[in-house]
């Protein structure tokens, strides 16, 4: 939920958001993400890379806190 709020994905539930991420990068469809799947998936998906990058950029966190 925190990653969603920081990145503006508030139009879906946390479960829907997680399912979207798994659909993008769980290449063997086993319902689990290995570190290798995660890294490869993020590297291949430009939108996901941006999402992860924003999540670790604390200036976005500060903006969310300031806006209430």
């Amino acid at each position: 939920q925190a990653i969603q709020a920081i990145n503006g994905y508030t139009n879906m539930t946390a479960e829907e958001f997680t399912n979207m991420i798994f659909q993008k990068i769980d290449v063997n469809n086993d319902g689990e993400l290995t570190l290798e799947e995660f890294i490869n998936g993020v590297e291949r998906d430009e939108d996901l890379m941006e999402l992860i990058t924003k999540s670790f950029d604390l200036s976005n966190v500060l903006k969310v806190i300031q806006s209430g």
Side-chain angles (χ1 to χ4, degrees), residues 16-67:
E16 291 169 333
F17 181 77
T18 302
N19 288 338
M20 177 189 72
I21 300 301
F22 268 76
Q23 287 174 359
K24 288 183 174 212
I25 63 177
D26 183 17
V27 294
N28 64 1
N29 295 314
D30 66 353
E32 297 179 3
L33 291 180
T34 64
L35 181 57
E36 183 179 348
E37 280 179 312
F38 179 78
I39 291 170
N40 290 334
V42 170
E43 288 176 341
R44 281 192 319 267
D45 190 297
E46 198 172 302
D47 293 331
L48 193 52
M49 177 64 88
E50 183 179 342
L51 176 78
I52 297 298
T53 302
K54 280 184 180 179
S55 298
F56 291 106
D57 179 356
L58 296 181
S59 65
N60 287 325
V61 174
L62 182 57
K63 288 177 189 174
V64 170
I65 292 170
Q66 288 175 336
S67 68

